[in-house]
Amino acid sequence: MKKLKSITISHANLTGYITKHLNLNLTHIDFFGNKLRGKIPNSIMLLEDLDFLNLSSNALVGEIPTSFGDLISLQNLSLASNSLSRSILTSMSAIPGLVHNDLSSNQSNR
C-alpha cells in the first residue's frame, strides 16, 4: 500500500484511535461520521502533500495541533463536531491554499 494516496472510511462505525503510522503519500483522508476518539496524532502533520482532511463527527478530544500550519498543501479541512479546543486562527492563516475550513461544534477559542 505504498502507493495509496486516498482513504475514505465514512459512516462505518469505525472505532478506536487514528493510527500514528500513516502512509506519507496520502493526499486525501476522510473519516467522517465514525466513532474515532483520542487526540489528532502529530503524524498527520508529516503528510506534506495532504490536501483534504475530514475528521468531522467523531469523538476526538484535546487541542488542535498548532503544527496544522505546516500542511501547506491543505485545501479542505473539516474537524467539525468533535470536542477539540485551541485558538488556531494564527496557525491556519499560514496555510496558503486553504479554501474550506470547518471547525464548528467544537470547543475552539477564536
Side-chain angles (χ1 to χ4, degrees):
M1 295 197 341
K2 291 180 180 180
K3 293 184 179 182
L4 183 69
K5 290 192 176 243
S6 177
I7 184 165
T8 299
I9 304 174
S10 298
H11 297 290
N13 287 322
L14 187 64
T15 61
Y17 301 91
I18 299 171
T19 183
K20 294 178 182 174
H21 306 286
L22 295 165
N23 183 333
L24 294 178
N25 293 322
L26 284 171
T27 60
H28 181 106
I29 298 173
D30 188 351
F31 291 145
F32 173 79
N34 286 291
K35 297 176 183 175
L36 296 171
R37 62 187 188 277
K39 296 181 177 186
I40 297 172
N42 286 327
S43 57
I44 286 180
M45 303 330 132
L46 300 175
L47 304 176
E48 294 177 0
D49 296 325
L50 187 67
D51 64 19
F52 182 95
L53 178 63
N54 187 352
L55 303 177
S56 296
S57 299
N58 280 285
L60 299 174
V61 298
E63 295 183 344
I64 298 171
T66 56
S67 53
F68 259 101
D70 296 340
L71 294 172
I72 60 170
S73 296
L74 198 61
Q75 296 178 9
N76 293 282
L77 172 66
S78 185
L79 303 175
S81 300
N82 284 289
S83 293
L84 299 167
S85 63
R86 179 129 227 186
S87 178
I88 43 72
L89 289 180
T90 304
S91 175
M92 295 298 167
S93 66
I95 303 172
L98 191 63
V99 294
H100 174 81
N101 182 11
D102 186 357
L103 304 173
S104 62
S105 300
N106 275 294
Q107 300 172 4
S108 298
N109 301 322
R110 294 196 172 114

